[in-house]
Amino acid sequence: MPSDRWEPVAFKTRIDEVLRQFIAQEADQFAAIDPLLAPVAEQLEAAVADGKRLRAAFCYWGWRAVGQPDSDALVRAAASMELVHAAAVVHDDLIDDSPLRHGRPTAHIALRGAVRRRPRADAAARSLAMLVGDLLMALAGQLFATSGLPAAYLARARPLWSVMARELIAGECLEILRTGAGPDTTASLKVIRYKTAKYTVEQPLLIGGALAGAGARLREGYAAYGLPLGEAFQLRDDLLGLFGDPERTGKANSDDVRGHRPTALLAETWRLADDNDRERLRALLGRRRPDADALDAMRELMRRLKAPDRIEDMISARVREALGALHDLDVPTHAASALTALAQSAADRRS
């Protein structure tokens, strides 16, 4: 039985093994329907091959912070959070037309090989990727329901799945609807809140807590800790999206600029800019395929206006808020230590 000390590497190994076995079996059954399905089945496995497993960790500690012991069944339930994430990533990469994830071609790019001799091959590959994401979301629910936890425990948490799905999809829709609109920090933070923050930290914590029978006060504390921390996580992602090293992030660093995504970084740059800077910003954002020089010019403009510093301040403020809420919670010492460490790893990462 694992100790109460938080060991992120050992935990990641447990989650990776659950996902590997579960998805391998599902992929085999899927491919057995027809040999043509093999490339699609491969993308199911590719979708869960990497990841920090933060969402699973927050679900796990949502359970442990109530006072519940370690449980292999709970680890399986927590692993389902990673399938929700995998589904969201496949769909997000498709929506944003992102070419890379974890240094490998994204699903809609990888699947071009399966349809390269067919009419409208790119559209067909995108359709296949969409269906991969749909299947991953369905499999997330299956893994959760068959985790081995008592039915009464699962019933307590099931309503939160609907909330998580509704808010995640609302955030994706808001990002699409806000793309190309005038930069607005408040609107960008709302996109962050619903697209990423809630399903990354708050909802996994609440689901883990619901499984364990957490009371109202503890659930309120989870939300007070989870929401600002989830926002800090995505704000860091926005910075890494333009200023991170693609060798470490595994993603192209032109996606946000090329897609005119409504990030808080862009909104703060616009807010801090004068008329001349805004004209320059419009010209840079107007390039359909920004080259390295255009990206460097964008970074230089942002640095001069101290927009990245402003985002760093927003991250720090949210981490302080999350840790303050955690300090007020009456949870076991080992759970508080783990959630403190998770807060730092979520907000301070470099990939």
Side-chain angles (χ1 to χ4, degrees), residues 22 27 49 53 78 88 102 133 137 141 151 156 160 162 174 206 209 221 243 262 269 286 312 316 328 331 333 341 348:
F22 178 75
R53 311 314 187 197
H102 298 299
M137 186 64 82
R156 289 195 296 248
L160 293 174
S162 296
L174 283 173
L206 289 171
F243 291 93
T269 302
E312 290 284 3
S316 297
D328 292 338
V331 299
T333 301
D348 294 342

Side-chain angles (χ1 to χ4, degrees), residues 16-241:
D16 286 347
E17 185 60 18
V18 168
L19 292 172
R20 186 192 65 77
Q21 291 186 9
F22 178 75
I23 292 298
Q25 182 179 30
E26 291 296 330
D28 285 347
Q29 292 175 347
F30 185 80
I33 294 170
D34 192 290
L36 279 176
L37 294 171
V40 182
E42 289 173 8
Q43 289 309 304
L44 289 174
E45 296 188 275
V48 300
D50 299 288
K52 301 172 186 64
R53 311 314 187 197
L54 283 174
R55 293 158 186 85
F58 284 118
C59 183
Y60 177 85
W61 285 106
W63 163 276
R64 294 297 307 276
V66 180
Q68 293 279 13
D70 181 84
S71 158
D72 287 339
L74 187 278
V75 168
R76 284 178 59 82
S80 70
M81 301 293 102
E82 298 299 326
L83 292 181
V84 172
H85 176 53
V89 163
V90 170
H91 285 151
D92 197 44
D93 288 341
L94 179 59
I95 292 166
D96 295 334
D97 200 21
S98 298
L100 292 174
R101 175 74 64 166
H102 298 299
R104 294 194 302 270
T106 48
H108 65 282
I109 300 296
L111 285 164
R112 287 177 180 174
V115 292
R116 63 183 178 274
R117 293 187 178 88
R118 289 161 177 75
R120 301 179 66 242
D122 285 357
R126 295 175 68 86
S127 297
L128 289 174
M130 177 185 68
L131 294 168
V132 168
D134 291 347
L135 182 52
L136 285 165
M137 186 64 82
L139 292 175
Q142 180 184 335
L143 180 57
F144 184 79
T146 60
S147 62
L149 289 171
Y153 289 28
L154 296 172
R156 289 195 296 248
R158 192 167 294 117
L160 293 174
W161 274 77
S162 296
V163 176
M164 180 169 59
R166 178 170 62 246
E167 292 180 340
L168 169 58
I169 293 171
E172 288 281 9
C173 290
L174 283 173
E175 183 177 63
I176 293 168
L177 293 166
R178 288 292 312 173
T179 295
D184 181 295
T185 301
T186 299
S188 294
L189 289 173
K190 190 170 189 178
V191 170
I192 283 173
R193 188 171 304 124
Y194 285 94
K195 181 190 172 188
T196 304
K198 284 177 167 286
Y199 99 91
T200 297
V201 185
E202 183 190 31
Q203 289 295 347
L205 269 173
L206 289 171
I207 287 171
L211 289 168
R217 186 175 183 279
L218 186 53
R219 294 196 304 271
E220 290 171 3
Y222 282 175
Y225 163 89
L227 190 55
L229 181 58
E231 291 181 358
F233 175 91
Q234 184 56 42
L235 288 167
R236 173 66 62 201
D237 208 57
D238 289 350
L239 280 177
L240 290 172

Side-chain angles (χ1 to χ4, degrees), residues 274-346:
D274 61 21
D275 288 344
N276 289 334
D277 290 329
R278 289 182 177 183
E279 190 62 33
R280 177 67 174 148
L281 199 54
R282 286 191 192 94
L284 291 169
L285 289 171
R287 301 189 184 188
R288 181 172 176 80
R289 297 285 176 182
D291 57 18
D293 289 341
L295 291 173
D296 285 343
M298 177 73 77
R299 294 186 191 100
E300 192 280 328
L301 175 60
M302 288 178 167
R303 288 192 185 102
R304 179 166 55 79
L305 294 172
K306 300 189 183 303
D309 294 341
R310 171 62 182 148
I311 301 302
E312 290 284 3
D313 290 344
M314 293 166 72
I315 291 170
S316 297
R318 283 160 173 78
V319 172
R320 286 194 300 271
E321 182 182 349
L323 293 178
L326 177 61
H327 179 75
D328 292 338
L329 287 179
D330 182 19
V331 299
T333 301
H334 61 274
S337 296
L339 289 169
T340 299
L342 281 166
Q344 297 300 332
S345 62

